Amino acid sequence: GAVVSQHPSRVICKSGTSVKIECRSLDFQATTMFWYRQFPKQSLMLMATSNEGSKATYEQGVEKDKFLINHASLTLSTLTVTSAHPEDSSFYICSATPGQLVGYTFGSGTRLTVV
Amino acid sequence: DAKTTQPPSMDCAEGRAANLPCNHSTISGNEYVYWYRQIHSQGPQYIIHGLKNNETNEMASLIITEDRKSSTLILPHATLRDTAVYYCIVRGYNTDKLIFGTGTRLQVFP
């Protein structure tokens, strides 16, 4: 089945630094990937749609300069949280699908803690 | 995409069937119903999806009413490992996005 790998699974960083999270489709190509954020006891919130070879599309209220997305190949999308602050501490999850109307596969998530 | 409504929580005894309802009364003709679940601190897991016919796979069954305004996910023999938050999502044919609602927290007890 389709597998999406996300790395790192946990990261702790100092306030003001940047953190990069990788999302890879291991056995399929994905022209589109999605990034979500989830706070404790809340549902997943879609942040942005990552498009291979073009700019990401951000959901309303998500700062594109703070959450930089790069989708340079058909199997890799990265999310960089720039100048991280404690309020950015959250669970970040990516997803992708090998085809239209097939179930989306999600990564295992990245727990970001900003201290 | 149509909005979905799910009960916030449900309990189910181990070995019994778990029936999770979802209301999507504003669903349109080309929108699919997807079910995912999320076990604590993991990424969501795909369960099943359907358009208008009932669907079954190795994990669950999906029953969609004839008017498509509601559906039920059935886990035929719930186990403790089925304890999770279950999300019902309506997704349009022309969109790639999956928008999550609040889901149902299913607790399976011994």
Side-chain angles (χ1 to χ4, degrees), chain B residues 7-39:
Chain B
S9 64
M10 294 182 65
D11 290 338
C12 178
E14 190 177 20
R16 305 295 293 268
N19 297 284
L20 292 90
C22 178
N23 182 288
H24 32 79
S25 58
T26 60
I27 194 170
S28 60
N30 63 354
E31 291 183 315
Y32 284 71
V33 179
Y34 282 76
W35 283 84
Y36 283 79
R37 72 181 182 184
Q38 185 179 26
I39 296 170

Side-chain angles (χ1 to χ4, degrees), chain A residues 11-30:
Chain A
V11 58
I12 300 173
C13 71
K14 291 184 177 181
S15 187
T17 62
S18 296
V19 173
K20 180 184 286 187
I21 302 170
E22 292 187 348
C23 179
R24 293 180 185 273
S25 56
L26 296 187
D27 49 1
F28 66 97
Q29 294 182 333

